[in-house]
Amino acid sequence: MEIFKYMETYDYEQLVFCQDKTSGLKAIIAIHDTTLGPALGGTRMWTYASEEDAIEDALRLAKGMTYKNAAAGLNLGGGKTVIIGDPLKDKNEEMFRAFGRFIQGLNGRYITAEDVGTTVADMDLIHEETNYVTGISPAFGSSGNPSPVTAYGVYRGMKAAAMEAFGSDSLEGKRIAVQGVGNVAYNLCRHLHEEGAKLIVTDINKAAVDRVVEEFGAIAVNTDEIYSQDVDIFAPCALGAIINDETIPQLKAKVVAGAANNQLKETKHGDQLHELGIVYAPDYVINAGGVINVADELNGYNRERAMKRVETVYDNIAKVMEISRTQGIPTYVAADRLAEERIARVGKSRSQFLQNGKHILSGR
Ligand SMILES: NC(=O)c1ccc[n+]([C@@H]2O[C@H](COP(=O)([O-])OP(=O)(O)OC[C@H]3O[C@@H](n4cnc5c(N)ncnc54)[C@H](O)[C@@H]3O)[C@@H](O)[C@H]2O)c1
Ligand SMILES: CC(C)C[C@H](N)C(=O)O
């Protein structure tokens, strides 16, 4: 991988490699764009097949955060961290504290939070060393685990997508296939069950499947059977790149709307969904609830204010659908335009608001 060439092509600002021998920390912080403000994005801990895979994941996820934060109307740029390691075996206190010191060294250019493989307890350890971390324990006046809020945003966004596809945003009686029933999707299933949707679920973790079967009457299927279910909505809530050449021909759903980041393997797959008349709720617009919630901490967390803002996920999905419909473009293109236009518009005047060369949030 030619790193500088890649960074130049997609306009990345900074890539930071962090190593600490004592704790075994190997982390990569990717900062994509800070036009709108400091880069906010979670920390993923994962066992990558190669260092190149880890770098690529950090870069792709960081760019996603730039677009997510911009489209959500936040005054924040995009960044992400990956820690190379097994979240079940390789974590220790020193690791997250060492990582916290690396974040502190960036002096507010990057603020972290949870992502796949990291928890509130990990964020609390990072907080021992730096203030540039969100999603820490409510005991610190913070917002805690973002997953239930992400789930609520996905639920609201799914309703907006249903409105586009079915002419009504009611999910009562709708058949919904959910791929991965972890932290976000468990809570999503709860909202869907409460509204009277029929759930078909899969996960590689049997205990996670059993929980939603028992609590919400979901029907369990094998992992490779989830795409071809006879459903109204397919909700990807596990991995990225699952809308691809193999899965698209299997889909019977009229809507794709779920929490997973980077759902489209390539942009051509977004074009194909559009051509097939499948309504795709762009991932970074529909799953913005968590970042909207943790971002509120930067102003002193207020749950009511944060949840009010999470409600806008419905409006943002509806806006994307309208742009797609009126301009005849795929929804992922419409979402990118929304985000890019805001970055260009706000970016032009933003220098007026800098205080002593620093964004106001970096003084937190
Ligand atoms: N947690 C958040 O607030 C948040 C916010 C925005 C986006 N997301 C994205 O949403 C997705 C889910 O996040 P999460 O926090 O619920 O993660 P999680 O790890 O709690 O849940 C993911 C689930 O997917 C399952 N899974 C993994 N591979 C699978 C496969 N091949 N088939 C079926 N199931 C599989 C896992 O066993 C797990 O239960 C991720 O892509 C994440 O990046 C999460
Ligand atoms: C800031 C976090 C809540 C980020 C979250 N993991 C996301 O992908 O949006």
Side-chain angles (χ1 to χ4, degrees), residues 44 46 61 65 68 80 114-118 145-151 154 178-186 202-206 208-209 222-224 226-227 236-240 242 258-263 283-284 286-291 294:
R44 177 167 295 195
W46 197 250
L61 289 162
M65 290 310 299
K68 187 180 303 195
K80 201 97 175 186
E114 293 87 347
D115 194 69
V116 175
T118 58
N145 180 4
S147 302
V149 187
T150 301
V154 174
V178 184
Q179 180 185 43
V181 280
N183 288 319
V184 175
Y186 166 76
T202 195
D203 198 295
I204 49 172
N205 177 347
K206 188 175 175 306
V209 171
N222 291 331
T223 50
D224 56 351
I226 196 73
Y227 306 104
C237 297
L239 312 166
I242 43 73
N261 281 311
N262 298 334
Q263 292 171 27
D283 44 18
Y284 64 75
I286 196 170
N287 72 16
V291 76
V294 299

